[in-house]
Structures are given as C-alpha cells and as structure tokens.
Amino acid sequence: MEPETFKKQSFLSPFNATSSDISINNNKCRRCFYCIQICPAKAIKVEKNSIKIIPERCILCGSCITTCPRQALDYKSGLGHVKNLLSDKAPIIACLDPAFPADLNMCTPGQLATTLKTIGFTEVWEGAFGAELISRAYRKLLSEETGKTIISSFCPVIVFYIQKYLPQLIPNIAPIVSPMIAIGRIARKIKGAGWKIVYITPCMAQVREMNVPEVAGVIDEVITFRDIRQLIDSKGIDCNKQDETEFDGPKPYLGRVISVTGGLYRTIDTKYDVLMDDISVTYGQKRVIGALNQLAAGYIKAKFLDFVYCFGCVDGPFADSKLSVLGRRQIVVRYAKAEMSRQDFSGVDTNIEMYKDTDLSREFANMEQKLPIPTEEQIMAILKKIGKVPPNHNLDCRACGHESCRDKAIAVAQGIVETEYCLHYWLEQSKKIYQQLKKSHKQLQLSHQELEQAHAQLIKTEKFASLGQLAAGVAHEINNPLGTITIYSHLLLKSLENEDPRKEDIELIISEANRAKEIVQGLLSFARETKLRESEMNVNDLLEDVLALISNQSLFYNIKIEKSFYQDMPSINADETKLKQVFLNIILNAAQAMEGNGKLILGTSTDKKQIKIKIQDTGPGIPPENMDKLFSPFFTTKEKGTGLGLAISYGIIERHKGKIDVYSELGKGSTFTIILPITKCEDPL
C-alpha cells in the first residue's frame, strides 16, 4: 500500500459528523503549526496550504484556540441561539458553572444575577448544586468494591479522549453524569419541559457534551463566559449599578469548590485525602494524557482517579480573567466559604434528599477513532522523500507541529498532513530553487549579452552595407574624372621644359590624383566590389609571411615580437592576399600605436570548427568613446590616415564568414581577435 492510499481514510463519528465546533480563519493563519503540536488528539489536518479541523477526532479541549498566536481559530458560539430564545420570551434558566465567581467578577454574584435577569433570563441558578448531587453518587460508588480503577466522568474532555483513543478504559469511567447534566435534569424535574435551560461555562467540551446521545435534550444551549460578557456589553448594562438578587433554584454548599483542583475530593468526603495512594488527582494536558496511557498499559493501580484536563475549571479555555490560576482558585474558595457561613447545611441536605431519586447515571459509547498504521517501509519512504532518514538526518525540530520526524512521516501516511509541510524540507527545496534560478539568471544574462552583440552586429552590418553601396557609387563617379585628370596632367608634364616652374605644380596634381585614386580603390574594396580568390592556406604560414615583410622596417626595430602558434593548425579556404592585407593593417596600426617601442604578441588557436587569431600590443589603448566608431569608414585618429584600413579589414573578415572583435584597456594596450570558420566560405557576390 502506498502512503497516498491512507489519504482516502474517512472518519466516522456517532454525532456531529459533518461539522466542527471550531472554525479557522485561514487568512489570519500563518502556518506556524503550533496548534498541531498542542493538539492531543491529532485532530488538525494540513491540506492544500490550509489548516482544517477533523471534528470526529476533536475532543474540544480548546487548546488550539487559546494558544494560536494569530487568533486564527475560534469556536462556533451558541450566543445567537440564546438571543433568539430571549427574544421569544420563553421562560429561561441561566445555570452558572461553579467557576463563575473568578471569571465573572465584574460585580458581586448578586449583581450578576440581577444583570442576567435584566437581560431576559427568568431565573439564575448556581450549577454547583449539580456537583452536590454527583458527589453523593461518587461517594456511593467508591464505597463499593468494584475491583477496578474508577475514572471520574467530571471532565468531558477526558471522557471524550477515552471514548475516542482509549476505548479499553470506557468500563473504568464512573457511570455518573457531569455537574452540568445533573443540574439540567434537576431543572427539568422542577420546572418541566416548557422551560429552556442555558448553561454558562468556561469549558469548550461542554458545548459538545450537551449533544451526546446519552444525555441529549437536557440542556438547550451552552455558551461561554466570553459570550455572556459580550451579551452584557451589547445591552449596555453596568453590572456594578445593579441591586443584588438571590440566586434561584436549589442552593449548593460545598459543591461550589468543585471547579478547583481537588474540589471533587472535598465534595465527596473529607476523609479522601490526596496523599492516599489509591486515590489521586491529576490535572494538566501532558500529565493526564500520560497517566491515561500508563493506566491503559497497566502501570498504574488505584481505586479512584480524578483526571481534569485543565488546572481545574477555573483554568478553562474561556476563563478570560487576567488573574492567575491561583488567584482564581482563591476567589472561588472565598466565595464558597462566605456563602457556606450564612447557610444552614441541614437545608442543603434536605434539598439533596428531595432530589435523591433523580437519575444521575449515564453510559459511554465507544467512539474509537482509528488511524491506519503504516508499514516501516512506508515510513522510511516518506522520511527519505523529505530528507529525514535516521540516524543522521532526523532533526526532530517540531517546527511542523509533530514530536519527531518519524511522527511527521506517520501523520503523512495517515493523511493528516502533506509531505512538504516541513520547515527544513522547505529550506532545502528553496536552496535548490534558488540555485536553479541563479543558474537560469546567469544563462539569461549570457543570452541577453549574445542578443545585444548580435543586434549591434546587425546594425553595424546594415550600416556598412549602406555605406558600401554609397561608396561604390561615389567611386564609379570619381574614377572617370580622375583618369582624365591623370592623363592630361601627364601630357601637360611632357610638354614642359625641365626648367619650367610649372612642372612642380603639375607633378603635385598628378600625386594628389594618384592619392585620390588609392582612396577610390579603398572605397571599392570596402564596397566589396572585388571578388575573393579562395585557396587552401595555413594561417600560421600567412602570419609568418606578414612578419617577414615588416621585420626589416625601421618602425619595428624596437618592438619585441612574441609568437604563440597552434602547431597542428588546420588549413582553411580563404583569399590569402585579402587576409594578408588584414593582418598587415592591424599589425601596422599596433606598431604605430606603440610608436615603435613595445611588445607585439601574435597567437593562434582552434576548436576544430573555427580558428582564432589574436594580435595584441602594449600601446596606450583605445579610448572608450572611440570603440564604437573603430570600424566606421573615414574614422581615424592619425593625421594622414584615410580611416578605411580597419573598415576594409572588417569587410574582408565578414566576407570570409568570420568576425573581428577588439578589447582595449587604457594604458595597457589593445587586442584584436579574428575568428574564421574552418568550413569553406562562399563569396556572396
């Protein structure tokens, strides 16, 4: 079975199977996954970059709501239903959880009772009377020798956890209702079916408890202390300005302390001490969950265990008081002492006797939520995918919300979370993506540079083609007048005597006409009017011939020439005369730039598809502003230059299907690089 198969797992619930009591605002959620880490029931699923509650697995502890740093989770309040009940003018009882003095201490208990009646509640009861009744039921149960450990059913969170995740402990749960259900049944017995009962609590789980099939219909609605504050504020009522009113309904006594840790012991009987080995109280998420699992494994032996998920009900998820748990406990205890000091216990006992026949029993259904158990191969496959194969790569950082990388892999296989939700995995993937982007960016830059070079080459080629056409036309038009001037100048020169002073002027005319003829010839060469005469040749040999031509010239006496020729240089088909003209032109320009003193370096190389010739000098270099105009016709920095040498050289190399580049650095010299294809070139003309 592949891990993906587990994602099809469906969860069945005995009730509320299609909705969750917790809502998530994924716009607020920042995927810190702390809610996953804090959830004791694995009831939070990460799917498609969003957080989802699995209602069938949720035990309504409220931890995810209270610990979310972005306040992205909230519960679905029943306050709207309560408002509708109030507007219908039906008789309604408001039952206050025993923890109310600590969390609704905006005024005195009597003023609070008046405020709630002003809002529209018909009567206000203390839910602690339900604790009085169940304490008697627990006392009777513990007096019996059952031979098994009894777990209190006081905390609905613990009950839900056992029903769903440790169903083997269901027989150990005390078959007694919670104080909320107990007071609800008393109210039904006293007031009848026409009355509505609203329970006000700091506990999230009681919202779902009222709908459990075994006790459904006893309580009409459960709202939290937060809801009742909101309702009071919406009415604009100042509790402190209200007169005090006595609570309605049966009066509790010691049951008022049941909301603090150890309170259930005290209400059962004073002889039950927390130091007794066979009777113990455990509170807090980690302690309780750990103790339950140890009990299921047989490590704990006891007669009675009072497990409370929070640090007492005074520490419920919606106990919004700014006071510490100890401070809340003291408020509740002081209130209980004050009320008991002015009560006659016999009257309380009489009330209890009056309702002793009230049914306080209940059963607990098996709600077991099983997740598929993946094989070791499936776990290792997921760990390998996210790079967390033990023993060296499992970080167990808990950033994903799971205790270890292995737990995360199991959750992936069970379909609770998707594979990629791992901080370290994300970082590693981000690094890979960054490297890919970096490589793509570099390739894009190179492509952009090549495109710019090709674009510049195209513009230069088009410009040279236009200039070539213009030069060819001008050359044709100038050649005929030049020929006429030259012929008649020679005839005139022959007709003059040697001593004739006009002879010098005629010779100047002939000299300038010849110079003009050379310029015209250069224009014709630039305009590609002459055909290439290709033959097989070796560039190394051609460069040696060029060096032989210049070696005896005075310009090169103080120039050191270095050669670095590739020995097995392949032959190419080219116009030897034209290439010699190019090399000679560039070498002469280099020597003139060095003013006859420096170093000239000639080198050749090949990559089997093309040959490369480098001509490097140690001259002053070419100013940056002249680089773009270097191969333009008639551009020159020499006093007597025509500006056609490099332009003609450029045209010759281009006709050979090659290219010529130049690199120059001021103060260090220039390097001309000529690239020619090894394949045979064809003259386009």
Side-chain angles (χ1 to χ4, degrees), residues 665-681:
E665 189 173 352
L666 289 177
K668 294 186 177 181
S670 304
T671 301
F672 282 80
T673 302
I674 300 167
I675 298 174
L676 294 169
I678 294 177
T679 56
K680 182 179 178 179
C681 58

Side-chain angles (χ1 to χ4, degrees), residues 142-158:
L142 294 177
S143 66
E144 301 170 357
E145 291 299 330
T146 60
K148 62 181 179 181
T149 300
I150 302 299
I151 304 172
S152 68
S153 59
F154 169 74
C155 177
V157 176
I158 302 302

Side-chain angles (χ1 to χ4, degrees), residues 220-346:
D220 292 288
E221 189 59 80
V222 174
I223 59 174
T224 66
F225 288 165
R226 182 198 297 179
D227 293 326
I228 203 64
R229 283 196 188 91
Q230 181 182 339
L231 182 59
I232 293 172
D233 291 341
S234 67
K235 299 295 183 179
I237 299 174
D238 186 351
C239 298
N240 291 298
K241 294 182 178 179
Q242 305 299 314
D243 295 329
E244 291 193 353
T245 303
E246 288 289 330
F247 285 104
D248 304 293
K251 298 295 186 287
Y253 193 72
L254 198 56
R256 293 187 177 96
V257 300
I258 201 169
S259 61
V260 302
T261 53
L264 181 59
Y265 288 161
R266 190 69 178 84
T267 59
I268 293 174
D269 200 310
T270 55
K271 70 180 181 181
Y272 292 113
D273 195 317
V274 294
L275 294 178
M276 295 174 64
D277 186 56
D278 60 345
I279 296 179
S280 181
V281 62
T282 302
Y283 52 88
Q285 173 186 336
K286 291 185 177 180
R287 294 192 187 99
V288 168
I289 300 300
L292 282 172
N293 283 280
Q294 290 179 4
L295 178 63
Y299 294 113
I300 295 178
K301 303 293 182 181
K303 182 175 183 179
F304 178 65
L305 297 174
D306 182 19
F307 286 157
V308 184
Y309 185 83
C310 304
F311 290 86
C313 296
V314 292
D315 187 42
F318 299 104
D320 292 331
S321 174
K322 304 300 180 183
L323 293 173
S324 66
V325 176
L326 178 60
R328 298 173 199 168
R329 174 190 173 99
Q330 290 180 339
I331 291 175
V332 170
V333 171
R334 285 198 298 266
Y335 170 71
K337 286 181 177 180
E339 291 299 307
M340 286 190 294
S341 67
R342 65 188 189 92
Q343 278 183 274
D344 182 3
F345 179 74
S346 61

Side-chain angles (χ1 to χ4, degrees), residues 322-515:
K322 304 300 180 183
L323 293 173
S324 66
V325 176
L326 178 60
R328 298 173 199 168
R329 174 190 173 99
Q330 290 180 339
I331 291 175
V332 170
V333 171
R334 285 198 298 266
Y335 170 71
K337 286 181 177 180
E339 291 299 307
M340 286 190 294
S341 67
R342 65 188 189 92
Q343 278 183 274
D344 182 3
F345 179 74
S346 61
V348 176
D349 201 43
T350 300
N351 280 336
I352 294 174
E353 285 296 320
M354 185 184 305
Y355 304 113
K356 66 179 181 179
D357 295 331
T358 304
D359 183 13
L360 300 178
S361 66
R362 68 159 290 187
E363 296 179 350
F364 301 93
N366 187 332
M367 302 179 183
E368 186 174 9
Q369 294 292 310
K370 284 187 177 180
L371 287 172
I373 301 175
T375 64
E376 188 64 24
E377 290 77 12
Q378 291 165 340
I379 295 172
M380 293 304 295
I382 295 170
L383 288 172
K384 184 177 180 180
K385 183 176 181 180
I386 60 177
K388 297 294 181 296
V389 178
N392 299 321
H393 299 287
N394 49 330
L395 298 180
D396 298 339
C397 65
R398 303 186 183 182
C400 63
H402 298 276
E403 289 292 318
S404 66
C405 294
R406 182 179 178 84
D407 288 342
K408 161 66 184 292
I410 293 173
V412 171
Q414 293 171 335
I416 294 177
V417 67
E418 295 178 359
T419 309
E420 62 270 18
Y421 287 100
C422 168
L423 179 60
H424 186 259
Y425 175 77
W426 275 341
L427 290 175
E428 290 299 318
Q429 292 300 109
S430 298
K431 287 180 183 178
K432 291 179 182 178
I433 294 173
Y434 173 76
Q435 293 298 330
Q436 292 173 353
L437 288 175
K438 189 176 180 181
K439 183 178 179 181
S440 299
H441 178 66
K442 188 175 181 180
Q443 292 175 343
L444 185 61
Q445 283 183 317
L446 291 174
S447 299
H448 184 66
Q449 291 174 0
E450 291 175 358
L451 183 62
E452 285 185 336
Q453 291 173 358
H455 185 254
Q457 184 74 16
L458 179 62
I459 293 175
K460 188 180 292 185
T461 301
E462 291 178 347
K463 182 175 74 173
F464 284 178
S466 300
L467 287 173
Q469 292 176 359
L470 176 62
V474 172
H476 280 299
E477 295 299 325
I478 292 177
N479 261 339
N480 291 332
L482 279 178
T484 301
I485 292 170
T486 302
I487 292 172
Y488 281 96
S489 295
H490 277 289
L491 291 174
L492 184 59
L493 183 63
K494 288 181 180 181
S495 66
L496 297 177
E497 298 293 336
N498 290 336
E499 294 80 10
D500 194 325
R502 293 175 296 176
K503 187 175 182 179
E504 185 177 350
D505 294 334
I506 298 300
E507 288 176 345
L508 180 61
I509 291 172
I510 293 172
S511 175
E512 290 300 311
N514 287 333
R515 183 168 175 270

